[in-house]
Amino acid sequence: MRLTVIGSSPAWPNPGSVQSGYLVEGPGRLLLDCGPGVLGRLREQEGWPRVDAVAITHLHLDHWGDLVPWVWGALHLRGEGADTGTPELWLPPRGGDRLATLGGFLGYPGMFADAFDLREYAEGEPFQAAGFAVTALPLPHYTIGSHGFRVTDGRATVAYSGDTGPSDRLVELARGVDLFLCEATLDEAEPAPPGHLSEAQAEEAFLASGAARLLLTHRPCERPLDSRYELAHDGLVVEVEPAARGGR
Ligand SMILES: [Zn+2]
């Protein structure tokens, strides 16, 4: 399984970086989140992104905004005979209705349904996307909530936190995974209701989870990290292998 960091920026872009987008490749190609700038970055690799599925953690703009230009490109180019595909678009519960409402303002209500094969995941129930088994767990994120994804090809497993405050469920999400891609937006814990993690809180969840490797992301450049942490950057490619498990 290969993870490519397409965009690693937080809710405002770091210089030269784009917002949340993580491409997981294995049995198929699965894009986790699609924030502003992600579509252009994908198009640097191929004329139009060939992904089997896109999965969205929550509907804050930095995690889905480039689905809007994706729709316009897919529909116009398809009209000109190009094969832009119809990726599955996996949304949070009730996400289809919400995107239809937003579509009414951004274009027309059915715009997302015309460009994507819309699906909604159920919290805690594994679903198949791009050949991976994916589980979405609900996580605290201010008042709207968000989801983390656990993605496996049956061999290696990646957990992606999306945006989250501290939660026992975050530890559950990352339990024993080979790579834990975790946000660390803050440099210190914030008061309730929390929406993000500090690097110390991310590390605490990582240590409790028994995951093999921690990769921090969604970090403002104004908050530099101690060099002992591994920080994602746009373009980073990680080959995720099943970690050797000792103790037997
Ligand atoms: Zn975010």
Side-chain angles (χ1 to χ4, degrees):
M1 185 192 299
R2 172 186 294 163
L3 174 91
T4 303
V5 177
I6 308 297
S8 60
S9 279
W12 57 99
N14 289 325
S17 169
V18 305
Q19 290 175 305
S20 295
Y22 304 91
L23 182 64
V24 186
E25 294 172 283
R29 303 179 91 214
L30 170 64
L31 180 65
L32 305 178
D33 283 337
C34 187
V38 168
L39 178 59
R41 280 282 163 79
L42 290 171
R43 296 200 66 200
E44 291 173 6
Q45 299 174 20
E46 49 196 355
W48 193 257
R50 289 174 300 103
V51 300
D52 301 296
V54 182
I56 302 295
T57 56
H58 67 302
L59 292 181
H60 277 162
L61 191 84
D62 58 317
H63 293 258
W64 74 275
D66 255 14
L67 294 180
V68 177
W70 194 311
V71 167
W72 304 137
L75 297 184
H76 280 267
L77 297 175
R78 194 182 293 167
E80 293 164 16
D83 178 14
T84 52
T86 307
E88 291 176 3
L89 175 56
W90 286 92
L91 298 165
R94 298 175 303 286
D97 282 349
R98 287 175 181 162
L99 274 197
T101 301
L102 289 164
F105 293 100
L106 298 168
Y108 61 97
M111 59 185 275
F112 296 101
D114 283 350
F116 297 97
D117 177 2
L118 298 188
R119 314 285 179 101
E120 292 181 8
Y121 50 79
E123 294 168 343
E125 285 182 22
F127 58 97
Q128 291 285 324
F132 294 99
V134 184
T135 307
L137 293 186
L139 294 171
H141 183 50
Y142 300 121
T143 54
I144 75 159
S146 181
H147 299 85
F149 293 130
R150 195 177 160 98
V151 180
T152 184
D153 63 0
R155 218 174 134 257
T157 305
V158 169
Y160 166 48
S161 69
D163 287 358
T164 183
S167 167
D168 289 344
R169 221 181 264 128
L170 181 63
V171 178
E172 183 188 332
L173 182 85
R175 179 86 60 210
V177 299
D178 304 296
L179 179 70
F180 182 25
L181 175 66
C182 188
E183 74 123 293
T185 309
L186 308 173
D187 49 16
E188 54 187 67
E190 66 187 340
H196 292 291
L197 301 172
S198 68
E199 69 269 33
Q201 290 174 317
E203 185 175 38
E204 191 178 321
F206 165 69
L207 292 174
S209 74
R213 178 176 172 183
L214 175 65
L215 180 62
L216 298 180
T217 192
H218 203 273
R219 182 79 175 180
C221 65
E222 292 82 1
R223 298 171 186 157
L225 277 176
D226 187 286
S227 61
R228 71 193 177 87
Y229 292 104
E230 186 182 8
L231 180 62
H233 58 85
D234 296 21
L236 175 68
V237 178
V238 181
E239 302 291 346
V240 184
E241 296 293 336
R245 305 281 176 208
R248 264 177 289 176

